[in-house]
């Protein structure tokens, strides 16, 4: 008889990857409001967590290669700095449909963890100011809280100041 994985019993690829790695994490679920204008701000409000500790996962095209940027929901992604962080020259936001196909997640639920295809990842340096941060757990209305060092280790992320106010 096959053993049930967490994903089969309601987990996501992100939570399955965390559990398999033996990393400490906490899952936070909340009722997603499709009318809310910002997925990240909605998550911060619903969990009662500072927007500086809730990070959004954005997918950009850097010189033709998809790259993940993980930045605080309170900030914006600086595309020039992102390109420089991965040794590129130019960056633009990726086509949302391509980002969804490549990561295996839907917009508003893209997690930096457990993606279908591993992409170069840059975590904003401000993450290291916090003991834990929250990122999408792979579904709208589901966040995972973990240490920034664990997130960087599991994704192979480079830490760089890629967010601006």
């Amino acid at each position: 008889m096959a053993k049930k994985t967490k994903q089969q019993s309601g987990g996501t690829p992100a939570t399955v990857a965390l559990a398999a790695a033996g990393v400490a994490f906490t899952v936070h679920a909340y009722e997603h409001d499709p009318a809310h204008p910002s997925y990240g701000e909605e998550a911060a409000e619903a969990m009662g967590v500072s927007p500086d500790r809730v990070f959004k996962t954005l997918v950009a095209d850097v010189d033709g290669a998809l790259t993940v940027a993980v930045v605080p929901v309170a900030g914006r992604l600086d595309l020039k700095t992102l390109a420089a962080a991965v040794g590129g020259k130019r960056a633009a936001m990726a086509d949302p449909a391509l980002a969804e196909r490549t990561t295996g997640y839907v917009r508003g639920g893209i997690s930096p963890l457990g993606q279908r295809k591993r992409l170069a990842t840059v975590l904003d340096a401000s993450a290291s100011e916090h003991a834990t941060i929250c990122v999408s757990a792979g579904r709208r209305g589901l966040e995972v809280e973990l240490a920034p060092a664990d997130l960087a280790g599991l994704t192979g992320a480079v830490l760089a100041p890629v967010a601006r106010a």
Side-chain angles (χ1 to χ4, degrees), residues 14-109:
T15 58
V16 170
L18 286 166
V23 169
F25 67 96
T26 304
V27 173
H28 299 277
Y30 61 91
E31 192 64 38
H32 167 62
D33 176 4
H36 201 287
S38 166
Y39 297 115
E41 289 175 12
E42 175 191 25
E45 291 166 10
M47 295 186 303
V49 174
S50 166
D52 293 338
R53 279 191 49 232
V54 179
F55 283 62
K56 56 190 170 187
T57 306
L58 304 172
V59 181
D61 180 319
V62 179
D63 297 337
L66 290 182
T67 303
V68 172
V70 186
V71 298
V73 300
R76 295 174 43 121
L77 174 61
D78 183 323
L79 289 165
K80 279 187 176 185
T81 306
L82 174 66
V86 294
K89 293 182 181 180
R90 292 166 49 147
M93 294 307 297
D95 173 69
L98 178 60
E100 289 179 344
R101 276 194 314 275
T102 305
T103 64
Y105 294 116
V106 297
R107 223 175 93 215

